[in-house]
Amino acid sequence: MTIGDTHPFDAVADITAAVADPAAPERTRPEFDSGDGPHVDDAGAQAIADAVDLPLLRL
């Protein structure tokens, strides 16, 4: 997500929203849970990566 000129950053990627359970946003979606609760599995890591707008990185 891009943000305005008054913010110190060019953009922000909300990685929490990328893996949050819509029914309980404070929890990780079951399909992304590694089994221990706070850490995501490989599918969760991919969801986080997909949340980043790569052109904003100007690679």
Side-chain angles (χ1 to χ4, degrees):
M1 147 175 127
T2 58
I3 49 184
D5 294 333
T6 60
H7 198 279
F9 304 107
D10 295 331
V12 176
D14 189 349
I15 62 171
T16 301
V19 296
D21 184 342
E26 70 281 0
R27 296 184 181 185
T28 302
R29 287 181 177 187
E31 66 266 30
F32 297 148
D33 189 348
S34 68
D36 69 358
H39 299 100
V40 296
D41 60 9
D42 290 342
Q46 185 63 57
I48 291 170
D50 292 342
V52 177
D53 187 7
L54 293 181
L56 291 175
L57 299 177
R58 299 185 189 121
L59 298 175

